Amino acid sequence: EFVPQGDGTYLYDNSSFFPLDKRGLADDIYGHNYYFTMEMHTSFIYHGGEHFKFRGDDDVWVFINGSLALDLGGIHTPLAGSVALDDLQLTRGAPATLDLFFAERQPFMSNFRVETEIQLQPVGSCSVWGDPHAIAFDSAASQVAGNPPSIVDVFGHGDMWIVKSALVSIQGRYGPTQWTENGLSATLALAVGGPFLKGHVLVIEARDGQITWDGESILQEFPSDWSVQDLIKVQYHEVEQPID
């Protein structure tokens, strides 16, 4: 977990970095599970002035927006490296990606230290289904123990935000249908957009409606798949198990 330092930076510092201890294959004679690799993939909004600093062993490669920004490859004792994001020709206020690859290749030490001003986005998922229910990954309710409550219910009509962040926007449209009783609400449509879709909008209407990408119909058969390379993949399939 990255810890805010109070000066605009976030820090993760672990001089005994062994995330696979007591997991998978047995630990070796030195008491740790060495010889592992790790990947981290995330996104962020570039504001200007950020740095990404790493110190550790062994290999680490950091790609920002798909380009190699930091290369500390090889078997070595802890090495440090830093990249100034202002040197990478990023666009201020625009989303960017960060991909980190790490390898521990010797049974001797494992250090992992990252310091950065980048506000890394958490990985999460949200569930939207039924009559209506929505559990959002960026809602405070999602942090409670057990099953978090839905952020919409059968009494709400209209267009409501399900997720609204710097990168992701999801709106739901709710209202009565011929199948709901006493004017209770059902999910009529979902609209997904935001910078992570590079200005495009995916709209999913109820089963008798359409699925559109920028207003053009897609996934007109069931089952079917549709994708835009390196951006989005949509599946219109039966689920293996019902959500509820």
Side-chain angles (χ1 to χ4, degrees):
E1 181 179 352
F2 286 88
V3 179
Q5 298 301 292
D7 59 358
T9 64
Y10 300 85
L11 176 67
Y12 178 85
D13 189 3
N14 191 338
S15 60
S16 184
F17 185 65
F18 298 103
L20 295 183
D21 279 6
K22 310 303 180 184
R23 301 182 182 182
L25 300 176
D27 297 345
D28 69 16
I29 60 174
Y30 297 101
H32 292 295
N33 201 335
Y34 291 93
Y35 302 110
F36 63 87
T37 61
M38 184 187 75
E39 298 180 17
M40 182 180 77
H41 307 282
T42 187
S43 57
F44 62 95
I45 299 295
Y46 169 63
H47 298 287
E50 295 97 324
H51 299 78
F52 186 91
K53 302 175 183 179
F54 181 88
R55 181 182 184 275
D57 60 282
D58 289 298
D59 312 83
V60 69
W61 298 275
V62 177
F63 293 79
I64 296 180
N65 263 7
S67 297
L68 182 62
L70 184 62
D71 184 349
L72 294 176
I75 297 176
H76 50 71
T77 56
L79 290 180
S82 176
V83 56
L85 272 62
D86 288 353
D87 297 336
L88 302 181
Q89 299 181 336
L90 303 178
T91 301
R92 294 194 181 207
T97 58
L98 187 150
D99 303 285
L100 181 148
F101 300 87
F102 174 87
E104 177 57 46
R105 292 201 284 156
Q106 56 181 336
F108 177 70
M109 297 191 302
S110 182
N111 293 269
F112 192 99
R113 187 182 195 276
V114 171
E115 183 179 1
T116 184
E117 298 92 348
I118 298 173
Q119 298 181 21
L120 301 175
Q121 301 296 315
V123 176
S125 63
C126 61
S127 300
V128 182
W129 76 99
D131 53 350
H133 298 85
I135 298 173
F137 65 81
D138 62 350
S139 166
S142 67
Q143 307 302 316
V144 302
N147 294 322
S150 173
I151 60 175
V152 294
D153 57 45
V154 294
F155 302 104
H157 293 178
D159 296 344
M160 302 182 187
W161 285 108
I162 299 172
V163 176
K164 187 177 183 182
S165 69
L167 291 176
V168 181
S169 300
I170 303 177
Q171 275 189 312
R173 176 165 292 173
Y174 303 97
T177 72
Q178 58 180 315
W179 297 285
T180 55
E181 298 180 356
N182 301 319
L184 295 180
S185 188
T187 304
L188 303 179
L190 296 170
V192 183
F196 89 111
L197 285 184
K198 299 183 179 179
H200 300 283
V201 178
L202 174 70
V203 176
I204 305 168
E205 296 180 347
R207 184 164 184 174
D208 293 333
Q210 298 186 88
I211 303 174
T212 63
W213 176 258
D214 294 341
E216 299 290 330
S217 293
I218 60 173
L219 298 170
Q220 300 181 53
E221 307 231 341
F222 183 86
S224 55
D225 297 86
W226 178 90
S227 64
V228 174
Q229 186 175 1
D230 299 325
L231 183 61
I232 185 174
K233 180 178 181 181
V234 185
Q235 296 179 313
Y236 185 28
H237 288 183
E238 290 271 4
V239 294
E240 293 182 1
Q241 294 181 347
I243 295 176
D244 64 355

